[in-house]
Amino acid sequence: MVLPGGCARTPATARTLVRTWLLAWGIPDAQTDDPALIVTELTTNAVVHTESAGIVVEVQITGRGQLRRLRIRVSDQGPHSGPIRIPPAVDPDGPGLGDVDESGRGLAMVDTLAHRWGAVRMHPGTRVWAVLLLPAESSSAPAPPVATSGGGR
């Protein structure tokens, strides 16, 4: 999906759409919190730190059985404004997230919640991605819908 850049409602819209997709794909509601938080943080960064006209949010489930993964990608078209800042790992014996500034927590939360994550510079823009492990699917779970392009509404 392509959402508007520079819009304060974009992260909430992305969060709602991701939850809706995951529920439609048979992911239990209780397991949508982490993906929703991750997409919120990544789209917030794109809105706040770039001047992109549009922000692309992609969500994909891969694998079967015990090997299911949820991949979230958020891409912006903003100019590069320096190196991508990867937060240090949160030290369980050090200061907690509550002991740091209000801003700057997003990627630390993504680092905690995701199995893997990273960022790639594009020309133009940046893509930040996260992969979450999903519990094994039950035999009654519906197959994820296949996205198509073309003549929609």
Side-chain angles (χ1 to χ4, degrees), residues 58-74:
E58 301 171 88
V59 179
Q60 178 183 31
I61 295 176
T62 62
R64 294 235 181 266
Q66 299 290 337
L67 302 175
R68 290 193 324 153
R69 307 277 189 269
L70 174 66
R71 179 180 306 276
I72 299 169
R73 290 184 289 246
V74 175

Side-chain angles (χ1 to χ4, degrees), residues 81-85 121:
S81 60
I84 298 170
R85 292 183 11 194
R121 291 287 193 204

Side-chain angles (χ1 to χ4, degrees), residues 1 14 18 21 35 38-39 42-43 46 55-62 70-76 118 120 122 126-132:
M1 76 182 131
V18 165
W21 290 340
I38 287 173
V39 80
L42 299 183
T43 55
I55 296 169
V56 178
V57 177
E58 301 171 88
V59 179
Q60 178 183 31
I61 295 176
T62 62
L70 174 66
R71 179 180 306 276
I72 299 169
R73 290 184 289 246
V74 175
S75 304
D76 64 65
V120 178
M122 302 182 315
T126 302
R127 172 179 292 143
V128 184
W129 56 269
V131 175
L132 291 90

Side-chain angles (χ1 to χ4, degrees), residues 6-12 14-15 36-50 55 57 74 106:
C7 177
R9 292 185 309 269
T10 293
R15 178 177 55 247
L37 179 58
I38 287 173
V39 80
T40 301
E41 294 302 331
L42 299 183
T43 55
T44 297
N45 283 348
V47 167
V48 170
H49 299 294
T50 75
I55 296 169
V57 177
V74 175

Side-chain angles (χ1 to χ4, degrees), residues 26 64-65 68 135-143:
R64 294 235 181 266
R68 290 193 324 153
E137 60 191 324
S138 69
S139 58
S140 63

